Amino acid sequence: MSEIILGIGDYGASKTPGGRVKTFALGSCVAAILRDPRNGAVGMVHVALPDSSINEAKARQRPGYFADLGLPLLIQEMARLGSPDNGRGLVVKLVGGASIMDHNETFNIGKRNVLALKKHLWAYGLGPLAEDVGGNYSRTVSVFVDSGKVVVNCPGRGEWEV
Amino acid sequence: MTKVVDAEAIRQAIERLPLFSPNALQLLQVIADPDHELEDVIRIVKFDSVLTMRVLKVVNSPVYGLVNEVTSIDRALSYLGERMVVSIAVQDNAGQLLNKPLEGYLGEQGALWRHDLFSAIASREVARYARGDFDLDLAFTGGLLHDIGKSIFSDFWKEVAQDALSQIDEGMVADYLMAEQDLAGLDHTEVGYRMARHWQMPEALQRVILHHHHPAEAPDWVQPLVYAVHLGDIVSMMAGCDTGSDGLQYHLDTGYREFFNLSPNALAEIVLNAQEEFSRARESLTN
Ligand SMILES: [Fe+2]
Ligand SMILES: [Fe+2]
C-alpha cells in the first residue's frame, strides 16, 4: 500500500489506488484534510500554529507548520494531481486541535489553529463538511484514497470515522 | 468497585532498582546547585571515561554538522550545554526504565523517553520567560525526570487502567491523576517521588516529580521550578508527544502567571523552539 506519513508541518496528497495519507498524534495541532470527489485525490496538512508572522525564518523553512501558509500549499499539491488551483469543489474535513483541561487563552493553541484554518478556507470559499476537533485527547488520523474515508484513532478510545 | 494495586509490590520494585552511578548522581547535585559553574560539570565528565566517550560521540553526531571533529570535553560542553550531558547521564543510568513500553498507558516503546526529553526542552524554553532569575538547565533536568514514576507504575496500573478514561469522561474524577489515585490507590507522581528518594536525588528534583501536576502544592522555594516543568509537560502533550492514553487528561494550573510572563505568541515561540531542539537532541542521542 502506498502510504504518505506526515510529520508536523508536512503536507502531502495522493490519488494512488490503495494509498492513504496519515499523521500521528495531533495534540493541539490540526490536520486539514481535502478530497476531490471528481478524481478521488486526497490530501492533508499537519498544522501546528495559526500564524507564520511570529517567525519568518521558520515560515520559509517549514511553511506547512502554519495555517496561513500550509493550506495554500496543500491546495497547490492537490492541483498537481489535477484539482483546480483555486480549490473549487474540494471537500474539507478538520481533525485535531485538542487542549489541556482548564486551559486559558494562552494555552488554547488548538482552538486558534482551527479558527485560523477556517478563516483561510473561507477565503477560498470552502468550509469543513465535517470536523472532529477540540476535547482533551490527541488524535491520529488517516485519509484513504479508495474510500475517501477519514479515520481517527486515539489510545484507549478506539477508532472512529469523521 | 475500587481495585487497589499492591503498594507493597511497588515498594519492592523500587527497592530493587539499580542505583545511579556516583558520577551521575553528583552531576544531578551540581546541576541542582544554583551557584554551580560549567567548570564543575566539566570536571565530573572528565572523571568518567564512559561519559566522556558518550559526550564526544554526541557532539560529533552528524545532526550538528560540525566541520572539525571535537575532541576536547571543554569544547564539547560549551557547544552542547550542560543539558545534553544530563540527558546522556540519565539515559545511561535509567535508559532501560525510560525505554520500556508503558502498557498501563498503551504507550509504545520509547514513548516515555520522547515525552520526557520533549518536556525537558520545553520546560527550559518556558523558563526563559521567567519574571525572575532562573536556572534553565535545572528546569531541563526536572522535565527529563518528571514522569519517571510511570516506568514502574505502568506495570501495576495496567491491571486497573481500563476504567480510567470513562471515569474522566463521565466526570467521576477530575483528571487522569485522580483516576490513578481512585483506581490504584496511588499515582505516578508518588511512585516517581519514591524512586527519586531511593536514588537520593536532590530534593528540588524530588519535588518536581511529586508536584508536577499540582505545582501549587510544592513548597515555596521550589515552586517556580515545578511550574516550569508543569508547563513543559503540557507543551509536550500539546505537541502530540505524550505517553499514551493519559495524554492531555490533566489540568493547567494558571498560577504559573506569578512566575512566567507568557503571551500566546510566547507560547507559539516555545512550541517552535522546543520542536526544533527536540528533533536534533533526539537524533544526536540515538546515534
Ligand atoms: Fe505526569
Ligand atoms: Fe508528563
Side-chain angles (χ1 to χ4, degrees), chain A residues 28 101-102 104 136 157, chain B residues 169 238 249-252 256:
Chain A
S28 61
M101 293 170 155
D102 279 344
N104 58 9
N136 312 114
R157 293 179 183 276
Chain B
D169 290 348
M238 286 168 61
Q249 302 278 310
Y250 299 97
H251 287 268
L252 170 71
Y256 73 80

Side-chain angles (χ1 to χ4, degrees), chain B residues 115 146-147 150 188-189 212-213 233 246 250:
Chain B
H115 172 65
H146 79 282
D147 266 344
K150 285 179 183 171
H188 72 272
T189 64
H212 70 267
H213 291 297
D233 179 28
D246 67 326
Y250 299 97

Side-chain angles (χ1 to χ4, degrees), chain B residues 105-120:
Chain B
Y105 296 88
L106 307 173
E108 72 217 32
Q109 180 164 18
L112 181 57
W113 169 247
R114 279 202 302 279
H115 172 65
D116 280 350
L117 184 62
F118 198 110
S119 302

Side-chain angles (χ1 to χ4, degrees), chain A residues 74-86:
Chain A
L74 176 59
I75 287 175
Q76 270 178 36
E77 196 68 16
M78 296 291 286
R80 298 212 296 177
L81 298 182
S83 302
D85 60 6
N86 60 9

Side-chain angles (χ1 to χ4, degrees), chain A residues 54-105:
Chain A
I54 68 151
N55 189 319
E56 286 176 18
K58 186 76 184 180
R60 275 193 301 272
Q61 189 197 336
R62 210 66 183 284
Y65 214 95
F66 305 95
D68 57 334
L69 303 179
L71 184 70
L73 283 168
L74 176 59
I75 287 175
Q76 270 178 36
E77 196 68 16
M78 296 291 286
R80 298 212 296 177
L81 298 182
S83 302
D85 60 6
N86 60 9
R88 189 165 306 131
L90 295 176
V91 175
V92 186
K93 294 182 180 179
L94 298 180
V95 173
S99 66
I100 195 77
M101 293 170 155
D102 279 344
H103 55 77
N104 58 9
E105 192 42 42

Side-chain angles (χ1 to χ4, degrees), chain B residues 95-168:
Chain B
Q96 264 191 342
L97 287 171
L98 290 165
N99 267 312
K100 271 173 50 177
L102 295 177
E103 287 181 51
Y105 296 88
L106 307 173
E108 72 217 32
Q109 180 164 18
L112 181 57
W113 169 247
R114 279 202 302 279
H115 172 65
D116 280 350
L117 184 62
F118 198 110
S119 302
I121 293 165
S123 302
R124 186 171 179 277
E125 290 299 321
V126 166
R128 288 176 189 278
Y129 292 87
R131 297 186 191 274
D133 281 349
F134 213 99
D135 191 334
L136 301 184
D137 288 305
L138 186 54
F140 179 95
T141 309
L144 196 62
L145 292 165
H146 79 282
D147 266 344
I148 189 76
K150 285 179 183 171
S151 62
I152 297 283
F153 183 68
S154 169
D155 295 338
F156 298 87
W157 178 234
K158 70 176 177 219
E159 308 297 333
V160 295
Q162 303 77 279
D163 297 335
L165 292 181
S166 58
Q167 282 209 357
I168 299 168

Side-chain angles (χ1 to χ4, degrees), chain B:
Chain B
M1 247 203 346
T2 303
K3 289 181 279 181
V4 174
V5 305
D6 186 351
E8 175 57 22
I10 291 187
R11 199 190 60 77
Q12 284 174 15
I14 294 171
E15 251 348 60
R16 281 197 300 272
L17 287 174
L19 296 175
F20 272 46
S21 75
N23 261 328
L25 203 57
Q26 206 196 340
L27 177 66
L28 294 181
Q29 268 146 8
V30 163
I31 295 284
D33 173 1
D35 296 325
H36 80 275
E37 285 169 16
L38 185 62
E39 304 305 312
D40 304 316
V41 176
I42 291 175
R43 208 169 306 127
I44 293 171
V45 177
K46 279 186 172 165
F47 257 108
D48 187 324
S49 57
V50 177
L51 195 52
T52 296
M53 235 171 56
R54 288 268 284 132
V55 167
L56 292 177
K57 201 169 164 204
V58 168
V59 75
N60 290 305
S61 145
V63 62
Y64 295 117
L66 298 181
V67 182
N68 298 311
E69 192 186 347
V70 177
T71 52
S72 96
I73 283 297
D74 301 64
R75 275 203 55 209
L77 255 78
S78 53
Y79 183 78
L80 290 175
E82 297 175 359
R83 60 190 183 281
M84 287 304 285
V85 179
V86 172
S87 304
I88 293 166
V90 167
Q91 209 182 24
D92 282 350
N93 284 269
Q96 264 191 342
L97 287 171
L98 290 165
N99 267 312
K100 271 173 50 177
L102 295 177
E103 287 181 51
Y105 296 88
L106 307 173
E108 72 217 32
Q109 180 164 18
L112 181 57
W113 169 247
R114 279 202 302 279
H115 172 65
D116 280 350
L117 184 62
F118 198 110
S119 302
I121 293 165
S123 302
R124 186 171 179 277
E125 290 299 321
V126 166
R128 288 176 189 278
Y129 292 87
R131 297 186 191 274
D133 281 349
F134 213 99
D135 191 334
L136 301 184
D137 288 305
L138 186 54
F140 179 95
T141 309
L144 196 62
L145 292 165
H146 79 282
D147 266 344
I148 189 76
K150 285 179 183 171
S151 62
I152 297 283
F153 183 68
S154 169
D155 295 338
F156 298 87
W157 178 234
K158 70 176 177 219
E159 308 297 333
V160 295
Q162 303 77 279
D163 297 335
L165 292 181
S166 58
Q167 282 209 357
I168 299 168
D169 290 348
E170 285 160 26
M172 289 159 67
V173 291
D175 66 2
Y176 205 91
L177 199 73
M178 296 306 289
E180 289 180 355
Q181 284 169 12
D182 193 55
L183 292 164
L186 79 179
D187 64 58
H188 72 272
T189 64
E190 280 175 69
V191 174
Y193 175 67
R194 289 192 222 161
M195 290 165 75
R197 290 183 66 85
H198 169 76
W199 283 324
Q200 297 183 307
M201 282 185 179
E203 166 120 31
L205 294 174
Q206 295 180 18
R207 292 291 175 175
V208 166
I209 294 169
L210 181 61
H211 301 297
H212 70 267
H213 291 297
H214 293 290
E217 289 169 15
D220 287 351
W221 64 273
V222 72
Q223 251 186 35
L225 175 66
V226 179
Y227 268 105
V229 174
H230 175 67
L231 300 184
D233 179 28
I234 288 172
V235 170
S236 166
M237 292 188 278
M238 286 168 61
C241 219
D242 55 40
T243 54
S245 53
D246 67 326
L248 293 167
Q249 302 278 310
Y250 299 97
H251 287 268
L252 170 71
D253 179 345
T254 52
Y256 73 80
R257 290 201 202 89
E258 191 185 337
F259 307 108
F260 304 99
N261 184 12
L262 293 180
S263 64
N265 274 352
L267 196 71
E269 283 284 357
I270 288 169
V271 170
L272 270 178
N273 294 337
Q275 203 68 255
E276 204 162 303
E277 187 178 332
F278 172 70
S279 20
R280 270 200 310 267
R282 192 181 160 204
E283 201 177 324
S284 73
L285 288 166
T286 324
N287 283 336

